[in-house]
Amino acid sequence: VLGIDPGLVATGYGLLGSASAGVAVLATGVITTTATLTLDARVQQVYDGVLAVLDRFEPASMVLEDLYAEYRFPRTALLMAHVRGVICLAARQRGVTLVAIAPGEVKRAVAGHGAASKAQVQQSVRRLLSLAALPAPSHVADALALAFTGYSRAGGRLAAAGVRP
Amino acid sequence: VLGIDPGLVATGYGLLGSASAGVAVLATGVITTTATLTLDARVQQVYDGVLAVLDRFEPASMVLEDLYAEYRFPRTALLMAHVRGVICLAARQRGVTLVAIAPGEVKRAVAGHGAASKAQVQQSVRRLLSLAALPAPSHVADALALAFTGYSRAGGRLAAAGVRP
């Protein structure tokens, strides 16, 4: 399961897979764009970067955060949506099943309650995935949280509190 | 000059080119998506449709409406932005120069003042381009208005009031 947290400046991804001990982090990374380039060049950078990840790891499914009604920064949200659009396209072109999960469900699955803070999510992701350090940057932490939630939903054998496979 | 008015349900386009008498409408159309499909399938439909238009007509430049700060329907705007993202990608992949023009500039160029109504824009587009009927649907009218503004900006020899080439 590949989790992706799209952003025009930086798009985080985190790939989880089954391991003998439960779930394992197979890859994480950030796709960045060149701030001096035009929007069309930047969405192409994200698109090419995501295609490269899909071609390298061949995940069966991709998890994105569902759209919600109100974003605090409308312009940032609109630019994020441009990036999310080309990521959806890349998934479609590679036959990767797309799953959109509401932010509240991610927080519940990872941290046990829907109002968990960003820091709590990061801590929970670290614990659930037995990471040596807090996942960083936040785009990667969010991508791992999404992947974890998708993995749990898909029936991953996970013993985390609050996770309903 | 290809004008495009992106939308998840329908994306309008209008292609203008130089003719002996000034400017000519070379093509117009609407790319629609299947409402029952998932978002990734729908953005792919728009992407494929736009690529087909670019490959058929090989325009030098593409004009989109610039993003603005406040949309009346945030969710619709976010979905439009997904579509706009894959259209930007298509332009980039085909080496088509992308131009974003503010709505106010389009209205000024077409109808003479920045607060023109949708109906006034439609009437002006009809007159400026010597169309037999009002351009419809509105996505096509908007696309033609964008293309006309881009054409004027690029120095098209147009005798319309309010147009500053």
Side-chain angles (χ1 to χ4, degrees), chain A residues 37-41 43-44 47-48 66-71 74-75 77-86 88-89 91-93 96 98, chain B residues 37-41 43-44 47-48 66-71 74-75 77-86 88-89 91-93 96 98:
Chain A
L37 293 182
T38 52
L39 180 60
D40 55 322
V43 296
Q44 191 189 35
Y47 172 77
D48 290 345
D66 207 357
L67 296 173
Y68 41 102
E70 294 295 333
Y71 287 86
R75 193 178 166 85
L78 285 171
L79 295 174
M80 177 280 291
H82 281 66
V83 171
R84 196 174 185 276
V86 300
C88 289
L89 178 67
R92 178 78 186 175
Q93 289 176 324
V96 177
L98 203 68
Chain B
L37 293 182
T38 54
L39 180 59
D40 54 322
V43 297
Q44 190 189 34
Y47 172 78
D48 289 344
D66 208 357
L67 297 173
Y68 41 100
E70 294 294 331
Y71 288 86
R75 193 181 167 80
L78 286 170
L79 296 173
M80 177 279 292
H82 281 65
V83 170
R84 196 175 185 275
V86 301
C88 289
L89 177 67
R92 177 78 186 175
Q93 289 175 325
V96 178
L98 202 69

Short mmCIF file of all heavy atoms in Angstrom, two decimals, chain A residues 37-41 43-44 47-48 66-71 74-75 77-86 88-89 91-93 96 98, chain B residues 37-41 43-44 47-48 66-71 74-75 77-86 88-89 91-93 96 98:
data_model
loop_
_atom_site.label_atom_id
_atom_site.label_comp_id
_atom_site.label_asym_id
_atom_site.label_seq_id
_atom_site.Cartn_x
_atom_site.Cartn_y
_atom_site.Cartn_z
N LEU A 37 10.17 27.22 -11.39
CA LEU A 37 9.53 26.78 -12.64
C LEU A 37 8.05 27.14 -12.65
O LEU A 37 7.44 27.42 -11.63
CB LEU A 37 9.70 25.27 -12.81
CG LEU A 37 11.13 24.78 -13.04
CD1 LEU A 37 11.14 23.27 -13.25
CD2 LEU A 37 11.75 25.48 -14.26
N THR A 38 7.45 27.07 -13.85
CA THR A 38 6.02 27.34 -13.99
C THR A 38 5.22 26.14 -13.49
O THR A 38 5.74 25.03 -13.35
CB THR A 38 5.67 27.61 -15.47
OG1 THR A 38 6.18 26.52 -16.25
CG2 THR A 38 6.32 28.90 -15.95
N LEU A 39 3.93 26.40 -13.25
CA LEU A 39 3.07 25.37 -12.68
C LEU A 39 3.05 24.10 -13.53
O LEU A 39 3.09 22.99 -13.00
CB LEU A 39 1.65 25.93 -12.52
CG LEU A 39 0.60 25.00 -11.93
CD1 LEU A 39 0.99 24.53 -10.53
CD2 LEU A 39 -0.77 25.68 -11.88
N ASP A 40 2.99 24.26 -14.86
CA ASP A 40 2.92 23.07 -15.71
C ASP A 40 4.19 22.23 -15.59
O ASP A 40 4.14 21.00 -15.57
CB ASP A 40 2.63 23.44 -17.17
CG ASP A 40 3.62 24.45 -17.73
OD1 ASP A 40 4.01 25.37 -16.99
OD2 ASP A 40 4.00 24.34 -18.91
N ALA A 41 5.34 22.90 -15.46
CA ALA A 41 6.59 22.16 -15.29
C ALA A 41 6.62 21.46 -13.94
O ALA A 41 7.11 20.32 -13.81
CB ALA A 41 7.77 23.11 -15.42
N VAL A 43 3.97 20.43 -12.03
CA VAL A 43 3.09 19.25 -11.95
C VAL A 43 3.70 18.08 -12.73
O VAL A 43 3.53 16.93 -12.36
CB VAL A 43 1.63 19.52 -12.41
CG1 VAL A 43 0.96 20.54 -11.51
CG2 VAL A 43 1.53 19.91 -13.86
N GLN A 44 4.44 18.41 -13.79
CA GLN A 44 5.11 17.34 -14.52
C GLN A 44 6.19 16.68 -13.65
O GLN A 44 6.37 15.46 -13.71
CB GLN A 44 5.74 17.86 -15.82
CG GLN A 44 6.21 16.73 -16.72
CD GLN A 44 7.02 17.22 -17.92
OE1 GLN A 44 7.75 18.18 -17.82
NE2 GLN A 44 6.86 16.55 -19.04
N TYR A 47 4.35 14.36 -11.37
CA TYR A 47 3.82 13.24 -12.18
C TYR A 47 4.94 12.25 -12.51
O TYR A 47 4.80 11.03 -12.29
CB TYR A 47 3.19 13.81 -13.45
CG TYR A 47 2.76 12.81 -14.48
CD1 TYR A 47 1.59 12.08 -14.32
CD2 TYR A 47 3.51 12.61 -15.64
CE1 TYR A 47 1.18 11.17 -15.29
CE2 TYR A 47 3.11 11.71 -16.61
CZ TYR A 47 1.95 10.99 -16.42
OH TYR A 47 1.54 10.09 -17.38
N ASP A 48 6.05 12.76 -13.01
CA ASP A 48 7.18 11.88 -13.35
C ASP A 48 7.71 11.17 -12.10
O ASP A 48 8.06 9.98 -12.15
CB ASP A 48 8.31 12.69 -14.01
CG ASP A 48 7.94 13.18 -15.40
OD1 ASP A 48 6.96 12.65 -15.97
OD2 ASP A 48 8.63 14.08 -15.93
N ASP A 66 -8.86 12.05 1.55
CA ASP A 66 -10.07 12.49 0.86
C ASP A 66 -10.12 14.01 0.87
O ASP A 66 -9.57 14.66 1.76
CB ASP A 66 -11.29 11.92 1.59
CG ASP A 66 -12.48 11.75 0.65
OD1 ASP A 66 -12.36 12.12 -0.53
OD2 ASP A 66 -13.51 11.24 1.11
N LEU A 67 -10.77 14.57 -0.12
CA LEU A 67 -10.98 16.02 -0.13
C LEU A 67 -11.95 16.38 0.98
O LEU A 67 -12.87 15.63 1.27
CB LEU A 67 -11.58 16.45 -1.47
CG LEU A 67 -10.70 16.22 -2.70
CD1 LEU A 67 -11.49 16.53 -3.96
CD2 LEU A 67 -9.44 17.06 -2.62
N TYR A 68 -11.74 17.52 1.60
CA TYR A 68 -12.75 17.95 2.55
C TYR A 68 -13.26 19.33 2.15
O TYR A 68 -12.76 19.95 1.20
CB TYR A 68 -12.27 17.87 4.00
CG TYR A 68 -10.87 18.32 4.29
CD1 TYR A 68 -10.62 19.55 4.84
CD2 TYR A 68 -9.79 17.48 4.03
CE1 TYR A 68 -9.32 19.96 5.14
CE2 TYR A 68 -8.49 17.87 4.32
CZ TYR A 68 -8.26 19.12 4.88
OH TYR A 68 -6.98 19.53 5.16
N ALA A 69 -14.28 19.78 2.87
CA ALA A 69 -15.01 20.95 2.39
C ALA A 69 -14.23 22.25 2.55
O ALA A 69 -14.19 23.08 1.66
CB ALA A 69 -16.35 21.05 3.10
N GLU A 70 -13.58 22.42 3.69
CA GLU A 70 -12.98 23.71 3.98
C GLU A 70 -11.48 23.59 4.19
O GLU A 70 -11.03 22.89 5.09
CB GLU A 70 -13.62 24.29 5.26
CG GLU A 70 -15.09 24.63 5.12
CD GLU A 70 -15.34 25.77 4.13
OE1 GLU A 70 -14.45 26.61 3.94
OE2 GLU A 70 -16.43 25.80 3.54
N TYR A 71 -10.73 24.27 3.37
CA TYR A 71 -9.29 24.34 3.58
C TYR A 71 -8.95 25.72 4.12
O TYR A 71 -9.55 26.71 3.74
CB TYR A 71 -8.54 24.08 2.27
CG TYR A 71 -8.60 22.64 1.84
CD1 TYR A 71 -9.66 22.15 1.10
CD2 TYR A 71 -7.59 21.75 2.20
CE1 TYR A 71 -9.72 20.82 0.72
CE2 TYR A 71 -7.64 20.42 1.82
CZ TYR A 71 -8.70 19.96 1.08
OH TYR A 71 -8.75 18.65 0.71
N PRO A 74 -7.10 28.48 0.80
CA PRO A 74 -7.76 28.05 -0.45
C PRO A 74 -6.78 27.96 -1.62
O PRO A 74 -6.85 27.03 -2.41
CB PRO A 74 -8.80 29.14 -0.69
CG PRO A 74 -9.06 29.73 0.66
CD PRO A 74 -7.76 29.65 1.40
N ARG A 75 -5.86 28.91 -1.76
CA ARG A 75 -4.96 28.87 -2.90
C ARG A 75 -4.01 27.68 -2.82
O ARG A 75 -3.78 26.99 -3.82
CB ARG A 75 -4.16 30.17 -3.01
CG ARG A 75 -3.46 30.27 -4.33
CD ARG A 75 -2.67 31.55 -4.54
NE ARG A 75 -1.81 31.37 -5.69
CZ ARG A 75 -2.19 31.56 -6.94
NH1 ARG A 75 -3.42 31.96 -7.19
NH2 ARG A 75 -1.37 31.33 -7.95
N ALA A 77 -4.68 24.95 -1.32
CA ALA A 77 -5.52 23.78 -1.58
C ALA A 77 -5.73 23.59 -3.08
O ALA A 77 -5.71 22.46 -3.57
CB ALA A 77 -6.86 23.92 -0.85
N LEU A 78 -5.92 24.68 -3.81
CA LEU A 78 -6.12 24.58 -5.25
C LEU A 78 -4.86 24.06 -5.94
O LEU A 78 -4.94 23.24 -6.87
CB LEU A 78 -6.49 25.95 -5.84
CG LEU A 78 -7.92 26.42 -5.57
CD1 LEU A 78 -8.08 27.87 -6.00
CD2 LEU A 78 -8.92 25.54 -6.30
N LEU A 79 -3.71 24.52 -5.49
CA LEU A 79 -2.45 24.04 -6.09
C LEU A 79 -2.23 22.57 -5.72
O LEU A 79 -1.82 21.77 -6.55
CB LEU A 79 -1.28 24.91 -5.61
CG LEU A 79 -1.35 26.37 -6.10
CD1 LEU A 79 -0.25 27.21 -5.48
CD2 LEU A 79 -1.27 26.42 -7.63
N MET A 80 -2.52 22.22 -4.47
CA MET A 80 -2.46 20.81 -4.06
C MET A 80 -3.36 19.96 -4.97
O MET A 80 -2.99 18.86 -5.37
CB MET A 80 -2.90 20.69 -2.58
CG MET A 80 -2.96 19.28 -2.01
SD MET A 80 -4.47 18.36 -2.46
CE MET A 80 -5.73 19.27 -1.54
N ALA A 81 -4.54 20.50 -5.28
CA ALA A 81 -5.48 19.73 -6.11
C ALA A 81 -4.95 19.53 -7.53
O ALA A 81 -5.23 18.50 -8.15
CB ALA A 81 -6.84 20.44 -6.14
N HIS A 82 -4.18 20.49 -8.06
CA HIS A 82 -3.52 20.27 -9.36
C HIS A 82 -2.61 19.06 -9.27
O HIS A 82 -2.60 18.19 -10.15
CB HIS A 82 -2.68 21.49 -9.75
CG HIS A 82 -3.47 22.64 -10.31
ND1 HIS A 82 -4.38 23.36 -9.58
CD2 HIS A 82 -3.48 23.19 -11.55
CE1 HIS A 82 -4.90 24.32 -10.34
NE2 HIS A 82 -4.37 24.23 -11.53
N VAL A 83 -1.83 19.03 -8.20
CA VAL A 83 -0.88 17.92 -7.99
C VAL A 83 -1.64 16.62 -7.78
O VAL A 83 -1.29 15.57 -8.34
CB VAL A 83 0.03 18.25 -6.79
CG1 VAL A 83 0.86 17.04 -6.40
CG2 VAL A 83 0.91 19.45 -7.11
N ARG A 84 -2.70 16.68 -6.98
CA ARG A 84 -3.50 15.48 -6.72
C ARG A 84 -4.10 14.95 -8.02
O ARG A 84 -4.23 13.74 -8.21
CB ARG A 84 -4.60 15.83 -5.72
CG ARG A 84 -5.28 14.64 -5.04
CD ARG A 84 -6.24 15.17 -3.98
NE ARG A 84 -6.88 14.14 -3.19
CZ ARG A 84 -7.97 13.47 -3.55
NH1 ARG A 84 -8.53 13.69 -4.70
NH2 ARG A 84 -8.49 12.56 -2.73
N GLY A 85 -4.45 15.86 -8.92
CA GLY A 85 -5.00 15.45 -10.21
C GLY A 85 -4.01 14.62 -11.02
O GLY A 85 -4.37 13.56 -11.55
N VAL A 86 -2.77 15.09 -11.11
CA VAL A 86 -1.80 14.32 -11.92
C VAL A 86 -1.39 13.03 -11.22
O VAL A 86 -1.01 12.06 -11.88
CB VAL A 86 -0.55 15.17 -12.31
CG1 VAL A 86 -0.98 16.39 -13.12
CG2 VAL A 86 0.27 15.57 -11.11
N CYS A 88 -3.56 11.20 -9.41
CA CYS A 88 -4.69 10.32 -9.77
C CYS A 88 -4.49 9.76 -11.17
O CYS A 88 -4.72 8.57 -11.43
CB CYS A 88 -6.01 11.09 -9.72
SG CYS A 88 -6.58 11.51 -8.06
N LEU A 89 -4.05 10.64 -12.08
CA LEU A 89 -3.82 10.21 -13.47
C LEU A 89 -2.75 9.12 -13.53
O LEU A 89 -2.91 8.10 -14.21
CB LEU A 89 -3.42 11.41 -14.32
CG LEU A 89 -3.09 11.11 -15.79
CD1 LEU A 89 -4.33 10.66 -16.55
CD2 LEU A 89 -2.46 12.32 -16.47
N ALA A 91 -1.82 7.05 -11.19
CA ALA A 91 -2.35 5.81 -10.62
C ALA A 91 -3.21 5.09 -11.65
O ALA A 91 -3.08 3.88 -11.87
CB ALA A 91 -3.16 6.12 -9.36
N ARG A 92 -4.08 5.87 -12.28
CA ARG A 92 -4.97 5.29 -13.29
C ARG A 92 -4.18 4.66 -14.43
O ARG A 92 -4.49 3.55 -14.90
CB ARG A 92 -5.87 6.40 -13.82
CG ARG A 92 -6.82 5.97 -14.90
CD ARG A 92 -7.99 5.24 -14.33
NE ARG A 92 -8.84 4.71 -15.38
CZ ARG A 92 -9.90 3.94 -15.17
NH1 ARG A 92 -10.22 3.61 -13.93
NH2 ARG A 92 -10.61 3.51 -16.15
N GLN A 93 -3.18 5.37 -14.90
CA GLN A 93 -2.40 4.89 -16.05
C GLN A 93 -1.63 3.61 -15.72
O GLN A 93 -1.30 2.84 -16.62
CB GLN A 93 -1.45 5.99 -16.53
CG GLN A 93 -2.19 7.14 -17.22
CD GLN A 93 -1.26 8.27 -17.62
OE1 GLN A 93 -0.30 8.57 -16.91
NE2 GLN A 93 -1.55 8.92 -18.73
N VAL A 96 -3.23 1.23 -10.75
CA VAL A 96 -3.16 1.15 -9.28
C VAL A 96 -4.50 1.61 -8.71
O VAL A 96 -4.99 2.68 -9.05
CB VAL A 96 -2.02 2.05 -8.76
CG1 VAL A 96 -1.98 2.03 -7.24
CG2 VAL A 96 -0.69 1.62 -9.36
N LEU A 98 -7.09 3.31 -6.48
CA LEU A 98 -7.00 4.52 -5.69
C LEU A 98 -8.01 4.47 -4.54
O LEU A 98 -9.18 4.16 -4.76
CB LEU A 98 -7.31 5.72 -6.59
CG LEU A 98 -6.79 7.07 -6.16
CD1 LEU A 98 -5.28 7.08 -6.26
CD2 LEU A 98 -7.38 8.14 -7.05
N LEU B 37 -18.03 7.21 -13.18
CA LEU B 37 -16.66 6.71 -12.98
C LEU B 37 -15.98 7.39 -11.79
O LEU B 37 -16.44 8.43 -11.32
CB LEU B 37 -15.84 6.95 -14.25
CG LEU B 37 -16.24 6.14 -15.48
CD1 LEU B 37 -15.30 6.44 -16.64
CD2 LEU B 37 -16.24 4.65 -15.18
N THR B 38 -14.89 6.80 -11.35
CA THR B 38 -14.13 7.39 -10.25
C THR B 38 -13.32 8.58 -10.75
O THR B 38 -13.11 8.76 -11.95
CB THR B 38 -13.17 6.34 -9.66
OG1 THR B 38 -12.37 5.80 -10.72
CG2 THR B 38 -13.95 5.22 -8.98
N LEU B 39 -12.85 9.39 -9.80
CA LEU B 39 -12.15 10.62 -10.14
C LEU B 39 -10.93 10.36 -11.01
O LEU B 39 -10.67 11.09 -11.97
CB LEU B 39 -11.74 11.34 -8.84
CG LEU B 39 -10.98 12.65 -9.00
CD1 LEU B 39 -11.78 13.68 -9.78
CD2 LEU B 39 -10.59 13.22 -7.63
N ASP B 40 -10.17 9.31 -10.69
CA ASP B 40 -8.96 9.05 -11.47
C ASP B 40 -9.30 8.71 -12.93
O ASP B 40 -8.62 9.13 -13.86
CB ASP B 40 -8.09 7.95 -10.84
CG ASP B 40 -8.87 6.66 -10.57
OD1 ASP B 40 -10.05 6.74 -10.18
OD2 ASP B 40 -8.30 5.58 -10.76
N ALA B 41 -10.41 7.98 -13.12
CA ALA B 41 -10.83 7.65 -14.49
C ALA B 41 -11.30 8.91 -15.22
O ALA B 41 -11.05 9.09 -16.42
CB ALA B 41 -11.95 6.61 -14.46
N VAL B 43 -10.37 12.15 -14.62
CA VAL B 43 -9.28 13.05 -15.01
C VAL B 43 -8.53 12.46 -16.21
O VAL B 43 -8.03 13.19 -17.06
CB VAL B 43 -8.29 13.38 -13.86
CG1 VAL B 43 -9.01 14.13 -12.74
CG2 VAL B 43 -7.56 12.19 -13.35
N GLN B 44 -8.48 11.13 -16.28
CA GLN B 44 -7.83 10.53 -17.44
C GLN B 44 -8.62 10.82 -18.72
O GLN B 44 -8.03 11.05 -19.78
CB GLN B 44 -7.69 9.01 -17.25
CG GLN B 44 -6.79 8.38 -18.33
CD GLN B 44 -6.79 6.88 -18.30
OE1 GLN B 44 -7.80 6.25 -17.99
NE2 GLN B 44 -5.65 6.29 -18.60
N TYR B 47 -7.70 14.30 -19.68
CA TYR B 47 -6.30 14.30 -20.14
C TYR B 47 -6.20 13.73 -21.56
O TYR B 47 -5.59 14.35 -22.44
CB TYR B 47 -5.47 13.48 -19.15
CG TYR B 47 -4.04 13.20 -19.56
CD1 TYR B 47 -3.06 14.18 -19.43
CD2 TYR B 47 -3.67 11.95 -20.03
CE1 TYR B 47 -1.75 13.93 -19.78
CE2 TYR B 47 -2.36 11.68 -20.38
CZ TYR B 47 -1.40 12.68 -20.26
OH TYR B 47 -0.11 12.41 -20.61
N ASP B 48 -6.81 12.60 -21.78
CA ASP B 48 -6.77 11.97 -23.11
C ASP B 48 -7.45 12.88 -24.16
O ASP B 48 -6.97 13.01 -25.29
CB ASP B 48 -7.47 10.60 -23.10
CG ASP B 48 -6.66 9.56 -22.32
OD1 ASP B 48 -5.46 9.81 -22.07
OD2 ASP B 48 -7.23 8.51 -21.97
N ASP B 66 -6.72 32.27 -14.95
CA ASP B 66 -5.84 32.26 -13.79
C ASP B 66 -6.65 31.82 -12.55
O ASP B 66 -7.86 32.03 -12.49
CB ASP B 66 -5.29 33.67 -13.56
CG ASP B 66 -3.94 33.63 -12.87
OD1 ASP B 66 -3.47 32.52 -12.52
OD2 ASP B 66 -3.36 34.70 -12.67
N LEU B 67 -5.96 31.23 -11.60
CA LEU B 67 -6.62 30.89 -10.35
C LEU B 67 -6.95 32.18 -9.60
O LEU B 67 -6.21 33.14 -9.67
CB LEU B 67 -5.70 30.04 -9.49
CG LEU B 67 -5.32 28.67 -10.06
CD1 LEU B 67 -4.27 28.01 -9.18
CD2 LEU B 67 -6.55 27.79 -10.16
N TYR B 68 -8.06 32.20 -8.91
CA TYR B 68 -8.31 33.36 -8.06
C TYR B 68 -8.51 32.91 -6.63
O TYR B 68 -8.54 31.70 -6.35
CB TYR B 68 -9.43 34.25 -8.59
CG TYR B 68 -10.66 33.58 -9.15
CD1 TYR B 68 -11.80 33.46 -8.39
CD2 TYR B 68 -10.67 33.08 -10.45
CE1 TYR B 68 -12.95 32.87 -8.91
CE2 TYR B 68 -11.81 32.47 -10.97
CZ TYR B 68 -12.95 32.38 -10.19
OH TYR B 68 -14.07 31.78 -10.70
N ALA B 69 -8.63 33.86 -5.74
CA ALA B 69 -8.55 33.54 -4.31
C ALA B 69 -9.81 32.84 -3.79
O ALA B 69 -9.73 31.86 -3.05
CB ALA B 69 -8.27 34.80 -3.51
N GLU B 70 -10.96 33.33 -4.21
CA GLU B 70 -12.19 32.84 -3.59
C GLU B 70 -13.12 32.23 -4.63
O GLU B 70 -13.55 32.90 -5.56
CB GLU B 70 -12.92 34.00 -2.89
CG GLU B 70 -12.18 34.58 -1.70
CD GLU B 70 -12.05 33.59 -0.56
OE1 GLU B 70 -12.92 32.71 -0.42
OE2 GLU B 70 -11.06 33.69 0.20
N TYR B 71 -13.42 30.97 -4.45
CA TYR B 71 -14.42 30.34 -5.31
C TYR B 71 -15.70 30.16 -4.51
O TYR B 71 -15.66 29.88 -3.31
CB TYR B 71 -13.91 28.99 -5.81
CG TYR B 71 -12.83 29.12 -6.86
CD1 TYR B 71 -11.49 29.26 -6.49
CD2 TYR B 71 -13.14 29.14 -8.21
CE1 TYR B 71 -10.50 29.40 -7.45
CE2 TYR B 71 -12.17 29.27 -9.17
CZ TYR B 71 -10.84 29.40 -8.79
OH TYR B 71 -9.87 29.54 -9.74
N PRO B 74 -16.23 25.73 -3.07
CA PRO B 74 -14.86 25.23 -2.87
C PRO B 74 -14.65 23.81 -3.38
O PRO B 74 -13.61 23.53 -3.99
CB PRO B 74 -14.69 25.30 -1.35
CG PRO B 74 -15.68 26.30 -0.88
CD PRO B 74 -16.84 26.20 -1.82
N ARG B 75 -15.60 22.93 -3.18
CA ARG B 75 -15.40 21.55 -3.63
C ARG B 75 -15.34 21.46 -5.16
O ARG B 75 -14.49 20.77 -5.71
CB ARG B 75 -16.50 20.64 -3.08
CG ARG B 75 -16.14 19.17 -3.26
CD ARG B 75 -17.19 18.21 -2.77
NE ARG B 75 -16.88 16.89 -3.29
CZ ARG B 75 -15.98 16.07 -2.76
NH1 ARG B 75 -15.31 16.43 -1.69
NH2 ARG B 75 -15.73 14.90 -3.29
N ALA B 77 -14.39 23.83 -7.07
CA ALA B 77 -13.12 24.44 -7.45
C ALA B 77 -11.97 23.44 -7.28
O ALA B 77 -11.07 23.38 -8.12
CB ALA B 77 -12.86 25.68 -6.61
N LEU B 78 -12.02 22.65 -6.22
CA LEU B 78 -10.96 21.65 -6.01
C LEU B 78 -10.98 20.59 -7.10
O LEU B 78 -9.93 20.16 -7.58
CB LEU B 78 -11.13 20.98 -4.64
CG LEU B 78 -10.74 21.82 -3.43
CD1 LEU B 78 -11.17 21.13 -2.15
CD2 LEU B 78 -9.22 22.06 -3.42
N LEU B 79 -12.18 20.18 -7.50
CA LEU B 79 -12.28 19.19 -8.58
C LEU B 79 -11.82 19.79 -9.90
O LEU B 79 -11.10 19.15 -10.67
CB LEU B 79 -13.71 18.65 -8.66
CG LEU B 79 -14.16 17.87 -7.42
CD1 LEU B 79 -15.64 17.51 -7.51
CD2 LEU B 79 -13.31 16.60 -7.24
N MET B 80 -12.23 21.06 -10.15
CA MET B 80 -11.75 21.76 -11.34
C MET B 80 -10.22 21.80 -11.35
O MET B 80 -9.58 21.61 -12.39
CB MET B 80 -12.33 23.19 -11.35
CG MET B 80 -11.87 24.07 -12.49
SD MET B 80 -10.23 24.84 -12.23
CE MET B 80 -10.57 25.97 -10.88
N ALA B 81 -9.63 22.02 -10.18
CA ALA B 81 -8.17 22.12 -10.10
C ALA B 81 -7.50 20.78 -10.42
O ALA B 81 -6.40 20.75 -10.97
CB ALA B 81 -7.75 22.62 -8.72
N HIS B 82 -8.15 19.66 -10.07
CA HIS B 82 -7.61 18.36 -10.48
C HIS B 82 -7.52 18.30 -12.01
O HIS B 82 -6.52 17.87 -12.59
CB HIS B 82 -8.51 17.23 -10.00
CG HIS B 82 -8.35 16.86 -8.55
ND1 HIS B 82 -8.67 17.71 -7.53
CD2 HIS B 82 -7.88 15.74 -7.95
CE1 HIS B 82 -8.42 17.12 -6.37
NE2 HIS B 82 -7.93 15.92 -6.60
N VAL B 83 -8.62 18.72 -12.64
CA VAL B 83 -8.68 18.69 -14.10
C VAL B 83 -7.66 19.67 -14.69
O VAL B 83 -6.95 19.35 -15.64
CB VAL B 83 -10.12 19.06 -14.55
CG1 VAL B 83 -10.19 19.27 -16.05
CG2 VAL B 83 -11.09 17.96 -14.11
N ARG B 84 -7.59 20.86 -14.09
CA ARG B 84 -6.63 21.87 -14.57
C ARG B 84 -5.20 21.33 -14.47
O ARG B 84 -4.35 21.61 -15.32
CB ARG B 84 -6.79 23.14 -13.74
CG ARG B 84 -6.16 24.40 -14.34
CD ARG B 84 -6.53 25.59 -13.46
NE ARG B 84 -6.10 26.87 -13.99
CZ ARG B 84 -4.89 27.39 -13.81
NH1 ARG B 84 -3.97 26.70 -13.14
NH2 ARG B 84 -4.58 28.57 -14.30
N GLY B 85 -4.95 20.54 -13.43
CA GLY B 85 -3.62 19.96 -13.26
C GLY B 85 -3.24 19.04 -14.41
O GLY B 85 -2.14 19.15 -14.96
N VAL B 86 -4.15 18.16 -14.79
CA VAL B 86 -3.80 17.23 -15.88
C VAL B 86 -3.77 17.95 -17.23
O VAL B 86 -3.06 17.53 -18.14
CB VAL B 86 -4.74 15.99 -15.93
CG1 VAL B 86 -4.67 15.22 -14.61
CG2 VAL B 86 -6.16 16.35 -16.27
N CYS B 88 -2.63 21.09 -17.56
CA CYS B 88 -1.28 21.69 -17.52
C CYS B 88 -0.23 20.65 -17.92
O CYS B 88 0.70 20.93 -18.67
CB CYS B 88 -0.96 22.22 -16.12
SG CYS B 88 -1.88 23.69 -15.63
N LEU B 89 -0.41 19.45 -17.38
CA LEU B 89 0.55 18.37 -17.69
C LEU B 89 0.55 18.06 -19.19
O LEU B 89 1.62 17.93 -19.81
CB LEU B 89 0.18 17.12 -16.89
CG LEU B 89 1.05 15.88 -17.16
CD1 LEU B 89 2.48 16.11 -16.66
CD2 LEU B 89 0.45 14.64 -16.50
N ALA B 91 -0.29 20.02 -21.66
CA ALA B 91 0.35 21.13 -22.38
C ALA B 91 1.87 21.01 -22.29
O ALA B 91 2.58 21.14 -23.29
CB ALA B 91 -0.11 22.47 -21.80
N ARG B 92 2.34 20.76 -21.08
CA ARG B 92 3.78 20.64 -20.86
C ARG B 92 4.37 19.50 -21.70
O ARG B 92 5.42 19.64 -22.33
CB ARG B 92 4.02 20.38 -19.38
CG ARG B 92 5.45 20.16 -18.99
CD ARG B 92 6.19 21.46 -18.94
NE ARG B 92 7.60 21.26 -18.71
CZ ARG B 92 8.49 22.24 -18.71
NH1 ARG B 92 8.11 23.48 -18.93
NH2 ARG B 92 9.75 21.99 -18.51
N GLN B 93 3.67 18.37 -21.71
CA GLN B 93 4.19 17.20 -22.42
C GLN B 93 4.23 17.42 -23.93
O GLN B 93 5.02 16.79 -24.62
CB GLN B 93 3.34 15.97 -22.08
CG GLN B 93 3.57 15.48 -20.65
CD GLN B 93 2.66 14.33 -20.27
OE1 GLN B 93 1.51 14.26 -20.68
NE2 GLN B 93 3.17 13.41 -19.46
N VAL B 96 3.42 22.91 -25.41
CA VAL B 96 2.53 24.04 -25.68
C VAL B 96 2.71 25.08 -24.57
O VAL B 96 2.62 24.74 -23.39
CB VAL B 96 1.05 23.57 -25.73
CG1 VAL B 96 0.11 24.73 -25.96
CG2 VAL B 96 0.88 22.50 -26.81
N LEU B 98 1.92 27.72 -21.93
CA LEU B 98 0.72 27.92 -21.12
C LEU B 98 0.63 29.37 -20.68
O LEU B 98 1.60 29.94 -20.19
CB LEU B 98 0.80 27.01 -19.89
CG LEU B 98 -0.50 26.66 -19.21
CD1 LEU B 98 -1.33 25.76 -20.09
CD2 LEU B 98 -0.19 25.95 -17.90
#
